[in-house]
Amino acid sequence: MHRIYCVEDDEGIRDLITYAVKSAGFEAEGFESAASFEERLNASVPSMVLLDIMLPDKDGIDILKDIRNNERTKNLPVIMITAKGTESDKVKGFDNGADDYVTKPFGVMELISRIKAVLRRSAASNTDVIDYKGIILDSQSRSVKVDGNDIAVTFKEFELLKYLMTHKGTVVPREVLLEKIWGYHFEGESRTLDVHIGSLRHKLGAKGKCIETIRNVGYKI
């Protein structure tokens, strides 16, 4: 059974989230501080982390950075849950490796849907290795190399790159990418896709130009 950690200092919100997660059929553990969460994470890595940004003892973005810089947890799916909902805040979260972003106040059903979508993508990895012009994507190890060098990508960035590489030469519409990678259609939130594409291009360096924008349609490799 999937186990989900919720890091949230507001007791009411934390209890609501853990109750909803358990009601959806998952195991859930709540943590009111970074210190208690990190102690537990060192002992056991969960299936996912729901992470608040505003914590009393450590900024959530710094926690996210630590997760991505740790070999044991670098591919751990993380959904940010925060009252900070401006575009710049979301971009900052995605740039530092967040896989999704839920803004307070949020609907419980939406949160559960996003959790299931991320877990579904996580479980879908296989043994395929795709090589395209020096970009090597290994689904088993969930790793990406460019000209032999390891590239650190987030969960969603990996899935996005994999989908585009699997359909190389084909223009993939924006709504298809949102549906396939995020699990359902985001009304009015297509900026999420643009942010991930921009981050992927940056991380791929010179090979980032392989991801082409097809204006008013979508993207292709």
Side-chain angles (χ1 to χ4, degrees):
M1 181 182 292
H2 289 295
R3 187 171 72 258
I4 298 172
Y5 291 171
C6 172
V7 191
E8 167 63 63
D9 63 322
D10 186 303
E11 183 178 3
I13 297 176
R14 186 173 67 251
D15 289 346
L16 171 64
I17 292 174
T18 55
Y19 176 79
V21 169
K22 289 178 181 177
S23 297
F26 306 114
E27 294 181 354
E29 296 182 36
F31 305 90
E32 65 179 356
S33 67
S36 58
F37 162 69
E38 289 173 343
E39 180 179 2
R40 180 69 174 120
L41 186 64
N42 286 335
S44 179
V45 177
S47 303
M48 177 186 291
V49 174
L50 307 177
L51 179 61
D52 186 24
I53 287 183
M54 303 291 287
L55 294 169
D57 55 342
K58 190 173 182 179
D59 187 271
I61 294 296
D62 290 331
I63 297 175
L64 180 60
K65 291 177 181 178
D66 290 342
I67 289 174
R68 292 294 172 241
N69 289 328
N70 188 314
E71 188 66 28
R72 292 176 65 242
T73 60
K74 66 180 183 180
N75 293 318
L76 175 61
V78 177
I79 297 178
M80 306 300 291
I81 301 180
T82 176
K84 290 188 172 184
T86 66
E87 182 174 294
S88 62
D89 290 323
K90 291 185 178 183
V91 169
K92 184 177 180 181
F94 287 133
D95 282 349
N96 285 284
D99 297 294
D100 205 350
Y101 203 113
V102 178
T103 304
K104 301 173 186 175
F106 54 85
V108 170
M109 294 303 295
E110 177 190 1
L111 175 62
I112 296 302
S113 292
R114 295 198 183 203
I115 289 172
K116 288 180 177 179
V118 170
L119 290 174
R120 186 165 60 247
R121 301 307 169 192
S122 179
S125 66
N126 51 52
T127 58
D128 290 344
V129 175
I130 306 172
D131 187 349
Y132 179 74
K133 294 186 176 181
I135 303 173
I136 300 176
L137 184 144
D138 187 328
S139 293
Q140 186 173 33
S141 63
R142 295 194 68 81
S143 64
V144 177
K145 292 180 181 291
V146 175
D147 294 333
N149 298 312
D150 290 321
I151 304 299
V153 296
T154 68
F155 179 85
K156 278 294 190 292
E157 289 170 351
F158 181 91
E159 293 299 322
L160 180 56
L161 181 61
K162 179 180 177 180
Y163 196 86
L164 289 172
M165 290 181 71
T166 301
H167 297 81
K168 57 182 179 290
T170 302
V171 179
V172 184
R174 298 171 62 86
E175 58 269 22
V176 171
L177 288 171
L178 286 166
E179 172 66 28
K180 296 297 184 181
I181 307 304
W182 278 265
Y184 60 96
H185 184 63
F186 283 82
E187 288 291 345
E189 286 210 25
S190 60
R191 175 63 180 165
T192 298
L193 174 59
D194 298 331
V195 168
H196 279 73
I197 290 290
S199 180
L200 260 179
R201 283 173 172 158
H202 175 73
K203 291 180 178 182
L204 293 174
K207 296 295 174 66
K209 63 184 179 182
C210 290
I211 303 177
E212 299 180 30
T213 299
I214 309 303
R215 190 173 181 182
N216 297 324
V217 181
Y219 297 94
K220 79 168 183 177
I221 283 185

